[in-house]
Amino acid sequence: MVFALLFQIDLVFRVRFDGEGLRLSLGYGPFRRLLVPAGRGAPSDEEEDGGKEKAKKAAKKKKEEGEKAAEKPDAAKGHQAGDIRGIAELALDLVKAALPPVGKLLTGFRLEKLRLFIRVGGANAAETAVRYGQVCALVHGGLAALVQILPVKTEEVGIGCDFLHNGFEEEISFELRLKLGRLLGQTFRLLGRAGKVLLKQRKGRPQKPLPPEARA
């Protein structure tokens, strides 16, 4: 009974993308571990709560410096403001890479608690309006595509205009959930297939004839 309950508990991969980059952590019950970026301990609740404020300060600093990197896809990260599908697919790839060798076969993920906030600015009102339309199309098109890949539960999506600053302010967070029982089931299935291949190879291998003295 206890094992059955444990297998029904979700593995929770928390994803956050903002002005500081992408962060990915793994949680199972009360246990949590930061996976990306590596080399840091698991974030505390206070650190996560303060992440939004830090992101706002970082975005404000970028806008004040007049940076326009978000106007086009980021060459370093391959990300365009509002590309929720790209962020979700990147997070899925990172999760599967963290669970080798069964990661390539993993299915059954659910995307929940999706929260997305974007503030769009331009050099003038016309440019701001054009950018706003582009971001809206990218966000809603990405969400429609994500629904075809995995179940999605959205909590809040907010896209607004900022006519005083030129640039983008973006914050995306969600959870990727997978039941432990499903993970173990797919792992055992992989091991079973590997065992059948090894057994088939052993049966098909010709046996060496015994030497004369052994036959005597």
Side-chain angles (χ1 to χ4, degrees):
M1 178 64 72
V2 175
F3 287 106
L5 293 175
L6 290 176
F7 291 165
Q8 291 301 314
I9 297 178
D10 286 336
L11 288 172
V12 182
F13 296 88
R14 293 181 174 87
V15 181
R16 188 183 188 92
F17 181 84
D18 52 27
E20 295 183 347
L22 187 142
R23 293 187 294 281
L24 172 67
S25 63
L26 168 63
Y28 180 72
F31 303 102
R32 295 175 63 185
R33 179 180 179 81
L34 186 68
L35 302 178
V36 178
R40 289 181 52 191
S44 64
D45 292 336
E46 293 181 358
E47 288 177 336
E48 283 209 340
D49 292 339
K52 185 175 181 179
E53 190 65 28
K54 290 181 180 179
K56 288 184 178 180
K57 291 181 179 179
K60 184 177 180 180
K61 182 178 180 181
K62 285 185 178 182
K63 288 187 292 185
E64 290 175 350
E65 293 173 352
E67 294 184 0
K68 300 182 180 180
E71 182 176 353
K72 54 186 178 180
D74 188 334
K77 301 179 181 178
H79 173 73
Q80 185 175 2
D83 185 11
I84 177 61
R85 178 182 177 180
I87 293 297
E89 290 180 341
L90 173 61
L92 276 172
D93 289 341
L94 291 172
V95 167
K96 292 181 178 182
L99 300 172
V102 74
K104 294 182 180 179
L105 303 177
L106 280 181
T107 59
F109 282 100
R110 310 182 319 272
L111 193 153
E112 299 183 359
K113 297 184 179 180
L114 172 61
R115 297 171 62 86
L116 184 150
F117 302 98
I118 301 178
R119 190 175 297 276
V120 184
N124 50 57
E127 184 178 344
T128 300
V130 171
R131 289 183 176 181
Y132 175 80
Q134 292 173 341
V135 169
C136 287
L138 187 60
V139 169
H140 295 294
L143 289 176
L146 271 180
V147 173
Q148 305 300 320
I149 301 173
L150 73 170
V152 177
K153 289 185 178 180
T154 303
E155 280 196 353
E156 190 172 0
V157 173
I159 307 174
C161 294
D162 187 348
F163 295 99
L164 301 179
H165 299 283
N166 182 12
F168 293 83
E169 181 181 348
E170 181 180 24
E171 181 182 330
I172 300 172
S173 64
F174 56 86
E175 294 180 354
L176 289 171
R177 290 177 170 264
L178 179 69
K179 289 192 180 300
L180 178 62
R182 187 165 190 128
L183 172 62
L184 294 178
Q186 295 183 44
T187 303
F188 292 145
R189 191 178 301 115
L190 174 64
L191 294 176
R193 291 176 181 175
K196 288 180 180 179
V197 172
L198 293 175
L199 184 61
K200 186 176 181 180
Q201 289 180 348
R202 179 171 295 182
K203 287 182 177 180
R205 186 179 303 167
Q207 296 182 354
K208 295 182 179 180
L210 293 175
E213 56 271 17
R215 289 199 298 269

Tab-separated table of all heavy atoms in Angstrom, residues 24-75:
chain	number	residue	atom	x	y	z
A	24	LEU	N	15.992	25.397	-13.441
A	24	LEU	CA	15.233	24.144	-13.410
A	24	LEU	C	15.563	23.401	-12.126
A	24	LEU	O	16.737	23.169	-11.826
A	24	LEU	CB	15.593	23.283	-14.625
A	24	LEU	CG	15.032	21.855	-14.654
A	24	LEU	CD1	13.516	21.873	-14.798
A	24	LEU	CD2	15.664	21.062	-15.798
A	25	SER	N	14.544	23.053	-11.356
A	25	SER	CA	14.762	22.309	-10.117
A	25	SER	C	13.851	21.096	-10.077
A	25	SER	O	12.779	21.081	-10.684
A	25	SER	CB	14.509	23.196	-8.890
A	25	SER	OG	13.149	23.619	-8.852
A	26	LEU	N	14.296	20.061	-9.372
A	26	LEU	CA	13.543	18.814	-9.236
A	26	LEU	C	13.019	18.690	-7.817
A	26	LEU	O	13.763	18.916	-6.856
A	26	LEU	CB	14.441	17.623	-9.569
A	26	LEU	CG	13.899	16.228	-9.198
A	26	LEU	CD1	12.619	15.925	-9.978
A	26	LEU	CD2	14.952	15.163	-9.457
A	27	GLY	N	11.752	18.333	-7.689
A	27	GLY	CA	11.163	18.123	-6.378
A	27	GLY	C	10.402	16.813	-6.314
A	27	GLY	O	9.741	16.409	-7.278
A	28	TYR	N	10.520	16.122	-5.174
A	28	TYR	CA	9.740	14.908	-4.923
A	28	TYR	C	9.335	14.935	-3.458
A	28	TYR	O	10.171	14.764	-2.567
A	28	TYR	CB	10.541	13.648	-5.234
A	28	TYR	CG	9.758	12.367	-4.991
A	28	TYR	CD1	8.725	11.997	-5.849
A	28	TYR	CD2	10.034	11.562	-3.896
A	28	TYR	CE1	7.996	10.842	-5.620
A	28	TYR	CE2	9.321	10.405	-3.668
A	28	TYR	CZ	8.306	10.045	-4.531
A	28	TYR	OH	7.579	8.897	-4.294
A	29	GLY	N	8.057	15.189	-3.201
A	29	GLY	CA	7.620	15.364	-1.829
A	29	GLY	C	8.311	16.581	-1.233
A	29	GLY	O	8.351	17.649	-1.839
A	30	PRO	N	8.943	16.439	-0.054
A	30	PRO	CA	9.610	17.590	0.573
A	30	PRO	C	11.021	17.832	0.043
A	30	PRO	O	11.652	18.818	0.424
A	30	PRO	CB	9.664	17.192	2.050
A	30	PRO	CG	9.731	15.696	2.023
A	30	PRO	CD	8.914	15.263	0.832
A	31	PHE	N	11.529	16.968	-0.823
A	31	PHE	CA	12.905	17.071	-1.279
A	31	PHE	C	12.976	17.882	-2.579
A	31	PHE	O	12.156	17.715	-3.466
A	31	PHE	CB	13.498	15.680	-1.516
A	31	PHE	CG	13.446	14.789	-0.305
A	31	PHE	CD1	12.477	13.807	-0.202
A	31	PHE	CD2	14.338	14.960	0.742
A	31	PHE	CE1	12.406	12.991	0.911
A	31	PHE	CE2	14.271	14.157	1.865
A	31	PHE	CZ	13.296	13.169	1.955
A	32	ARG	N	13.993	18.737	-2.660
A	32	ARG	CA	14.176	19.574	-3.842
A	32	ARG	C	15.649	19.694	-4.175
A	32	ARG	O	16.498	19.705	-3.282
A	32	ARG	CB	13.578	20.966	-3.621
A	32	ARG	CG	12.075	20.969	-3.444
A	32	ARG	CD	11.569	22.344	-3.107
A	32	ARG	NE	11.838	23.273	-4.188
A	32	ARG	CZ	11.575	24.580	-4.109
A	32	ARG	NH1	11.072	25.082	-2.987
A	32	ARG	NH2	11.831	25.365	-5.117
A	33	ARG	N	15.942	19.787	-5.461
A	33	ARG	CA	17.329	19.917	-5.905
A	33	ARG	C	17.373	20.777	-7.159
A	33	ARG	O	16.603	20.557	-8.097
A	33	ARG	CB	17.943	18.547	-6.182
A	33	ARG	CG	19.389	18.616	-6.667
A	33	ARG	CD	19.939	17.227	-6.922
A	33	ARG	NE	21.305	17.260	-7.415
A	33	ARG	CZ	22.381	17.405	-6.652
A	33	ARG	NH1	22.244	17.517	-5.340
A	33	ARG	NH2	23.583	17.438	-7.180
A	34	LEU	N	18.298	21.725	-7.193
A	34	LEU	CA	18.463	22.579	-8.357
A	34	LEU	C	19.302	21.847	-9.393
A	34	LEU	O	20.405	21.379	-9.102
A	34	LEU	CB	19.141	23.893	-7.966
A	34	LEU	CG	19.250	24.935	-9.068
A	34	LEU	CD1	17.873	25.465	-9.442
A	34	LEU	CD2	20.153	26.082	-8.634
A	35	LEU	N	18.791	21.744	-10.622
A	35	LEU	CA	19.499	21.062	-11.700
A	35	LEU	C	20.193	22.044	-12.636
A	35	LEU	O	21.301	21.789	-13.100
A	35	LEU	CB	18.514	20.201	-12.506
A	35	LEU	CG	17.746	19.129	-11.722
A	35	LEU	CD1	16.789	18.391	-12.646
A	35	LEU	CD2	18.710	18.157	-11.052
A	36	VAL	N	19.535	23.152	-12.961
A	36	VAL	CA	20.079	24.170	-13.863
A	36	VAL	C	19.805	25.545	-13.266
A	36	VAL	O	18.650	25.839	-12.941
A	36	VAL	CB	19.443	24.069	-15.265
A	36	VAL	CG1	19.988	25.169	-16.174
A	36	VAL	CG2	19.702	22.703	-15.873
A	37	PRO	N	20.794	26.409	-13.087
A	37	PRO	CA	22.208	26.141	-13.353
A	37	PRO	C	22.823	25.249	-12.296
A	37	PRO	O	22.389	25.267	-11.133
A	37	PRO	CB	22.841	27.535	-13.331
A	37	PRO	CG	21.942	28.318	-12.408
A	37	PRO	CD	20.559	27.781	-12.634
A	38	ALA	N	23.801	24.448	-12.683
A	38	ALA	CA	24.442	23.520	-11.756
A	38	ALA	C	25.401	24.274	-10.857
A	38	ALA	O	25.822	25.394	-11.143
A	38	ALA	CB	25.189	22.434	-12.527
A	39	GLY	N	25.743	23.622	-9.731
A	39	GLY	CA	26.735	24.200	-8.839
A	39	GLY	C	26.165	25.033	-7.721
A	39	GLY	O	26.888	25.614	-6.948
A	40	ARG	N	24.823	25.097	-7.631
A	40	ARG	CA	24.189	25.829	-6.537
A	40	ARG	C	23.298	24.888	-5.767
A	40	ARG	O	22.829	23.876	-6.278
A	40	ARG	CB	23.343	26.981	-7.072
A	40	ARG	CG	24.134	28.129	-7.650
A	40	ARG	CD	23.190	29.210	-8.122
A	40	ARG	NE	22.241	29.593	-7.090
A	40	ARG	CZ	21.189	30.367	-7.312
A	40	ARG	NH1	20.946	30.830	-8.511
A	40	ARG	NH2	20.367	30.683	-6.321
A	41	GLY	N	23.032	25.240	-4.523
A	41	GLY	CA	22.116	24.447	-3.735
A	41	GLY	C	20.683	24.714	-4.153
A	41	GLY	O	20.397	25.594	-4.953
A	42	ALA	N	19.764	23.936	-3.611
A	42	ALA	CA	18.355	24.117	-3.942
A	42	ALA	C	17.882	25.485	-3.467
A	42	ALA	O	18.218	25.924	-2.373
A	42	ALA	CB	17.515	23.021	-3.274
A	43	PRO	N	17.107	26.200	-4.290
A	43	PRO	CA	16.655	27.535	-3.892
A	43	PRO	C	15.662	27.461	-2.750
A	43	PRO	O	14.803	26.581	-2.711
A	43	PRO	CB	15.992	28.060	-5.171
A	43	PRO	CG	15.560	26.831	-5.899
A	43	PRO	CD	16.601	25.801	-5.588
A	44	SER	N	15.789	28.370	-1.820
A	44	SER	CA	14.832	28.422	-0.717
A	44	SER	C	13.555	29.103	-1.179
A	44	SER	O	13.497	29.701	-2.246
A	44	SER	CB	15.442	29.189	0.461
A	44	SER	OG	15.683	30.543	0.079
A	45	ASP	N	12.514	29.002	-0.363
A	45	ASP	CA	11.251	29.661	-0.699
A	45	ASP	C	11.434	31.167	-0.804
A	45	ASP	O	10.827	31.827	-1.649
A	45	ASP	CB	10.189	29.333	0.356
A	45	ASP	CG	9.798	27.855	0.314
A	45	ASP	OD1	9.974	27.236	-0.761
A	45	ASP	OD2	9.332	27.339	1.341
A	46	GLU	N	12.285	31.745	0.083
A	46	GLU	CA	12.516	33.178	0.050
A	46	GLU	C	13.212	33.587	-1.236
A	46	GLU	O	12.916	34.622	-1.818
A	46	GLU	CB	13.350	33.604	1.265
A	46	GLU	CG	12.612	33.452	2.586
A	46	GLU	CD	13.460	33.914	3.747
A	46	GLU	OE1	14.620	34.314	3.496
A	46	GLU	OE2	12.977	33.884	4.890
A	47	GLU	N	14.147	32.751	-1.702
A	47	GLU	CA	14.842	33.059	-2.942
A	47	GLU	C	13.896	33.019	-4.124
A	47	GLU	O	13.963	33.853	-5.023
A	47	GLU	CB	15.988	32.066	-3.156
A	47	GLU	CG	17.156	32.280	-2.226
A	47	GLU	CD	18.225	31.240	-2.414
A	47	GLU	OE1	17.902	30.144	-2.894
A	47	GLU	OE2	19.386	31.513	-2.070
A	48	GLU	N	12.991	32.040	-4.131
A	48	GLU	CA	12.035	31.944	-5.233
A	48	GLU	C	11.065	33.111	-5.201
A	48	GLU	O	10.687	33.662	-6.223
A	48	GLU	CB	11.277	30.619	-5.157
A	48	GLU	CG	12.107	29.450	-5.648
A	48	GLU	CD	11.233	28.351	-6.220
A	48	GLU	OE1	10.030	28.341	-5.894
A	48	GLU	OE2	11.741	27.518	-6.978
A	49	ASP	N	10.635	33.499	-3.991
A	49	ASP	CA	9.709	34.627	-3.883
A	49	ASP	C	10.374	35.918	-4.343
A	49	ASP	O	9.720	36.806	-4.894
A	49	ASP	CB	9.220	34.781	-2.433
A	49	ASP	CG	8.334	33.605	-2.021
A	49	ASP	OD1	7.797	32.935	-2.927
A	49	ASP	OD2	8.196	33.373	-0.813
A	50	GLY	N	11.676	36.019	-4.080
A	50	GLY	CA	12.388	37.224	-4.478
A	50	GLY	C	12.834	37.216	-5.922
A	50	GLY	O	13.341	38.214	-6.425
A	51	GLY	N	12.645	36.080	-6.602
A	51	GLY	CA	13.074	35.983	-7.987
A	51	GLY	C	12.343	36.946	-8.886
A	51	GLY	O	12.926	37.520	-9.808
A	52	LYS	N	11.066	37.152	-8.643
A	52	LYS	CA	10.276	38.051	-9.480
A	52	LYS	C	10.776	39.479	-9.340
A	52	LYS	O	10.894	40.206	-10.331
A	52	LYS	CB	8.801	37.958	-9.076
A	52	LYS	CG	7.873	38.772	-9.960
A	52	LYS	CD	6.426	38.528	-9.584
A	52	LYS	CE	5.489	39.323	-10.480
A	52	LYS	NZ	4.074	39.091	-10.147
A	53	GLU	N	11.099	39.889	-8.119
A	53	GLU	CA	11.583	41.253	-7.902
A	53	GLU	C	12.941	41.454	-8.556
A	53	GLU	O	13.207	42.498	-9.161
A	53	GLU	CB	11.691	41.519	-6.389
A	53	GLU	CG	11.942	42.980	-6.051
A	53	GLU	CD	10.765	43.866	-6.446
A	53	GLU	OE1	9.628	43.359	-6.468
A	53	GLU	OE2	11.016	45.049	-6.742
A	54	LYS	N	13.807	40.441	-8.474
A	54	LYS	CA	15.113	40.528	-9.110
A	54	LYS	C	14.972	40.616	-10.621
A	54	LYS	O	15.710	41.337	-11.283
A	54	LYS	CB	15.965	39.312	-8.739
A	54	LYS	CG	16.408	39.294	-7.283
A	54	LYS	CD	17.263	38.076	-7.007
A	54	LYS	CE	17.724	38.046	-5.561
A	54	LYS	NZ	18.552	36.840	-5.279
A	55	ALA	N	14.023	39.850	-11.161
A	55	ALA	CA	13.812	39.866	-12.609
A	55	ALA	C	13.361	41.247	-13.066
A	55	ALA	O	13.790	41.739	-14.120
A	55	ALA	CB	12.779	38.809	-13.002
A	56	LYS	N	12.482	41.881	-12.284
A	56	LYS	CA	12.014	43.222	-12.644
A	56	LYS	C	13.164	44.227	-12.637
A	56	LYS	O	13.271	45.071	-13.525
A	56	LYS	CB	10.923	43.660	-11.667
A	56	LYS	CG	9.594	42.925	-11.847
A	56	LYS	CD	8.549	43.476	-10.903
A	56	LYS	CE	7.213	42.787	-11.124
A	56	LYS	NZ	6.177	43.305	-10.207
A	57	LYS	N	14.035	44.124	-11.622
A	57	LYS	CA	15.154	45.042	-11.548
A	57	LYS	C	16.112	44.831	-12.720
A	57	LYS	O	16.627	45.794	-13.298
A	57	LYS	CB	15.902	44.854	-10.219
A	57	LYS	CG	15.106	45.308	-9.003
A	57	LYS	CD	15.907	45.106	-7.735
A	57	LYS	CE	15.113	45.576	-6.511
A	57	LYS	NZ	15.867	45.362	-5.251
A	58	ALA	N	16.350	43.561	-13.062
A	58	ALA	CA	17.253	43.269	-14.175
A	58	ALA	C	16.681	43.774	-15.483
A	58	ALA	O	17.391	44.351	-16.317
A	58	ALA	CB	17.514	41.762	-14.251
A	59	ALA	N	15.373	43.559	-15.678
A	59	ALA	CA	14.734	44.022	-16.912
A	59	ALA	C	14.734	45.543	-16.992
A	59	ALA	O	14.945	46.125	-18.059
A	59	ALA	CB	13.308	43.484	-16.986
A	60	LYS	N	14.505	46.213	-15.850
A	60	LYS	CA	14.494	47.674	-15.829
A	60	LYS	C	15.872	48.227	-16.167
A	60	LYS	O	16.014	49.203	-16.905
A	60	LYS	CB	14.060	48.159	-14.447
A	60	LYS	CG	13.931	49.671	-14.357
A	60	LYS	CD	13.430	50.076	-12.982
A	60	LYS	CE	13.307	51.589	-12.879
A	60	LYS	NZ	12.826	52.009	-11.535
A	61	LYS	N	16.904	47.578	-15.646
A	61	LYS	CA	18.270	48.024	-15.921
A	61	LYS	C	18.583	47.899	-17.405
A	61	LYS	O	19.216	48.773	-17.996
A	61	LYS	CB	19.255	47.190	-15.097
A	61	LYS	CG	20.703	47.616	-15.282
A	61	LYS	CD	21.622	46.786	-14.405
A	61	LYS	CE	23.067	47.201	-14.597
A	61	LYS	NZ	23.984	46.381	-13.761
A	62	LYS	N	18.128	46.797	-18.006
A	62	LYS	CA	18.379	46.596	-19.432
A	62	LYS	C	17.686	47.672	-20.267
A	62	LYS	O	18.235	48.182	-21.237
A	62	LYS	CB	17.898	45.211	-19.864
A	62	LYS	CG	18.821	44.086	-19.411
A	62	LYS	CD	18.342	42.759	-19.978
A	62	LYS	CE	19.283	41.641	-19.575
A	62	LYS	NZ	18.866	40.348	-20.149
A	63	LYS	N	16.448	47.987	-19.871
A	63	LYS	CA	15.701	48.990	-20.632
A	63	LYS	C	16.336	50.367	-20.495
A	63	LYS	O	16.381	51.147	-21.448
A	63	LYS	CB	14.244	49.019	-20.162
A	63	LYS	CG	13.452	47.793	-20.591
A	63	LYS	CD	11.980	47.922	-20.267
A	63	LYS	CE	11.726	47.892	-18.799
A	63	LYS	NZ	10.282	47.896	-18.483
A	64	GLU	N	16.826	50.681	-19.296
A	64	GLU	CA	17.447	51.976	-19.073
A	64	GLU	C	18.734	52.115	-19.885
A	64	GLU	O	19.122	53.206	-20.268
A	64	GLU	CB	17.740	52.168	-17.580
A	64	GLU	CG	16.480	52.359	-16.745
A	64	GLU	CD	16.787	52.424	-15.265
A	64	GLU	OE1	17.956	52.124	-14.898
A	64	GLU	OE2	15.887	52.755	-14.474
A	65	GLU	N	19.411	51.003	-20.109
A	65	GLU	CA	20.639	51.038	-20.889
A	65	GLU	C	20.353	51.067	-22.386
A	65	GLU	O	21.267	51.151	-23.203
A	65	GLU	CB	21.504	49.826	-20.554
A	65	GLU	CG	22.043	49.858	-19.136
A	65	GLU	CD	22.749	48.560	-18.774
A	65	GLU	OE1	22.672	47.614	-19.589
A	65	GLU	OE2	23.364	48.490	-17.702
A	66	GLY	N	19.057	50.953	-22.730
A	66	GLY	CA	18.667	51.040	-24.130
A	66	GLY	C	18.956	49.803	-24.939
A	66	GLY	O	19.120	49.881	-26.159
A	67	GLU	N	19.023	48.649	-24.270
A	67	GLU	CA	19.312	47.427	-25.007
A	67	GLU	C	18.102	47.007	-25.826
A	67	GLU	O	16.966	47.089	-25.374
A	67	GLU	CB	19.702	46.309	-24.036
A	67	GLU	CG	21.000	46.585	-23.316
A	67	GLU	CD	21.415	45.446	-22.433
A	67	GLU	OE1	20.679	44.450	-22.394
A	67	GLU	OE2	22.439	45.563	-21.777
A	68	LYS	N	18.348	46.489	-27.003
A	68	LYS	CA	17.284	46.049	-27.887
A	68	LYS	C	17.469	44.587	-28.282
A	68	LYS	O	17.030	44.152	-29.327
A	68	LYS	CB	17.249	46.911	-29.147
A	68	LYS	CG	17.014	48.380	-28.882
A	68	LYS	CD	16.948	49.157	-30.177
A	68	LYS	CE	16.718	50.635	-29.919
A	68	LYS	NZ	16.658	51.400	-31.186
A	69	ALA	N	18.119	43.824	-27.419
A	69	ALA	CA	18.405	42.431	-27.759
A	69	ALA	C	17.132	41.613	-27.917
A	69	ALA	O	17.071	40.668	-28.700
A	69	ALA	CB	19.278	41.792	-26.677
A	70	ALA	N	16.093	41.964	-27.174
A	70	ALA	CA	14.854	41.190	-27.257
A	70	ALA	C	14.032	41.516	-28.486
A	70	ALA	O	13.024	40.878	-28.750
A	70	ALA	CB	14.015	41.450	-26.006
A	71	GLU	N	14.470	42.484	-29.258
A	71	GLU	CA	13.731	42.845	-30.462
A	71	GLU	C	13.789	41.731	-31.488
A	71	GLU	O	12.900	41.568	-32.307
A	71	GLU	CB	14.333	44.130	-31.038
A	71	GLU	CG	13.617	44.644	-32.273
A	71	GLU	CD	14.202	45.950	-32.733
A	71	GLU	OE1	15.053	46.495	-32.002
A	71	GLU	OE2	13.812	46.407	-33.813
A	72	LYS	N	14.841	40.911	-31.452
A	72	LYS	CA	14.996	39.800	-32.372
A	72	LYS	C	15.436	38.592	-31.568
A	72	LYS	O	15.801	38.708	-30.398
A	72	LYS	CB	16.035	40.125	-33.432
A	72	LYS	CG	17.380	40.569	-32.859
A	72	LYS	CD	18.312	41.011	-33.949
A	72	LYS	CE	19.637	41.498	-33.369
A	72	LYS	NZ	20.566	41.925	-34.429
A	73	PRO	N	15.421	37.370	-32.152
A	73	PRO	CA	15.821	36.193	-31.398
A	73	PRO	C	17.220	36.346	-30.814
A	73	PRO	O	18.122	36.854	-31.463
A	73	PRO	CB	15.772	35.077	-32.453
A	73	PRO	CG	14.798	35.571	-33.465
A	73	PRO	CD	14.963	37.060	-33.493
A	74	ASP	N	17.387	35.898	-29.571
A	74	ASP	CA	18.673	35.975	-28.890
A	74	ASP	C	19.613	34.940	-29.500
A	74	ASP	O	19.350	33.747	-29.439
A	74	ASP	CB	18.468	35.696	-27.399
A	74	ASP	CG	19.736	35.961	-26.595
A	74	ASP	OD1	20.830	35.870	-27.155
A	74	ASP	OD2	19.607	36.245	-25.411
A	75	ALA	N	20.695	35.388	-30.077
A	75	ALA	CA	21.587	34.463	-30.759
A	75	ALA	C	22.245	33.501	-29.786
A	75	ALA	O	22.581	32.380	-30.141
A	75	ALA	CB	22.670	35.250	-31.515
